[in-house]
Amino acid sequence: MKIAVFPGSFDPITKGHVELVLRAVPLFDKIIVAIGVNSQKKYLFSLEQRLAWLEEVFKNEANVEVAHFQGLTAHYCQEVGAEYLLRGLRNASDFDYEKTISQLNNIVGEGLETIFLISEPQYSHFSSTIVREIIKGGADPSPFLPKGVIIPK
Ligand code: ADP
């Protein structure tokens, strides 16, 4: 069974993330969209809120599961029997960052392979960071958010 983990903070999930997962669905038997919890990191939205959004967005996708984990992504993949990591590439700076992480994960994860999909052009400027700035600035983030993701007032 080909299982991929799509790890991220999803703070919050954007249309860019969803587009990536849906394009990857035909490539794997199962995709686990997993929120990596880092106790040192400050998030804008609670883990419960971010998980609820993921559940809502992928509720009709039979082969997509939603989860969260602590610790190293590579260890989590071993725990759930995933031999693949899914990541998105928007630009050259994503590439530089992802290249190093993927090489490390390949060692720590004992052969764990990262599969990259290049983001679609209409979403390549979407990021959770930008969405958080828009929310903090009091503008409407809905053009960036999937249906079902409503930001609490
Ligand atoms: P992290 O905290 O690990 O950066 P994110 O939630 O920001 O997690 O992103 C998770 C993954 O989604 C990363 O591989 C990132 O490149 C990808 N991603 C984020 N935004 C987009 C987008 N607009 N198009 C395609 N992939 C994206």
Side-chain angles (χ1 to χ4, degrees):
M1 175 129 147
K2 276 203 183 96
I3 305 176
V5 167
F6 181 45
S9 307
F10 306 108
D11 188 29
I13 186 167
T14 70
K15 284 182 180 169
H17 294 123
V18 177
E19 177 260 327
L20 204 83
V21 172
L22 296 182
R23 280 167 61 210
V25 161
L27 307 178
F28 301 101
D29 298 305
K30 180 161 94 178
I31 298 176
I32 306 175
V33 181
I35 300 181
V37 181
N38 177 345
S39 53
Q40 316 283 24
K41 213 165 147 182
K42 277 259 164 266
Y43 300 101
L44 183 59
F45 298 106
S46 70
L47 175 62
E48 290 67 31
Q49 175 68 88
R50 286 177 285 143
L51 280 170
W53 281 329
L54 294 185
E55 294 281 3
E56 172 63 25
V57 167
F58 296 112
K59 67 179 179 201
N60 295 325
E61 290 300 321
N63 297 338
V64 177
E65 281 181 16
V66 165
H68 65 100
F69 66 95
Q70 298 207 339
L72 295 179
T73 307
H75 289 165
Y76 176 67
C77 288
Q78 287 173 333
E79 205 178 289
V80 296
E83 290 175 298
Y84 305 94
L85 269 176
L86 174 66
R87 295 289 285 178
L89 294 177
R90 287 164 289 191
N91 48 43
S93 51
D94 271 359
F95 174 79
D96 281 343
Y97 173 78
E98 296 289 343
K99 173 175 178 276
T100 312
I101 304 280
S102 131
Q103 288 165 335
L104 293 173
N105 278 328
N106 186 259
I107 298 167
V108 179
E110 298 172 37
L112 179 64
E113 291 287 4
T114 307
I115 307 298
F116 295 102
L117 291 184
I118 306 271
S119 71
E120 279 187 6
Q122 72 265 36
Y123 296 127
S124 63
H125 57 294
F126 281 34
S127 75
S128 296
T129 308
I130 298 285
V131 171
R132 289 194 300 274
E133 291 309 312
I134 288 171
I135 294 167
K136 287 182 198 162
D140 174 19
S142 59
F144 301 91
L145 301 175
K147 218 170 99 233
V149 176
I150 315 279
I151 302 295
K153 284 262 182 286

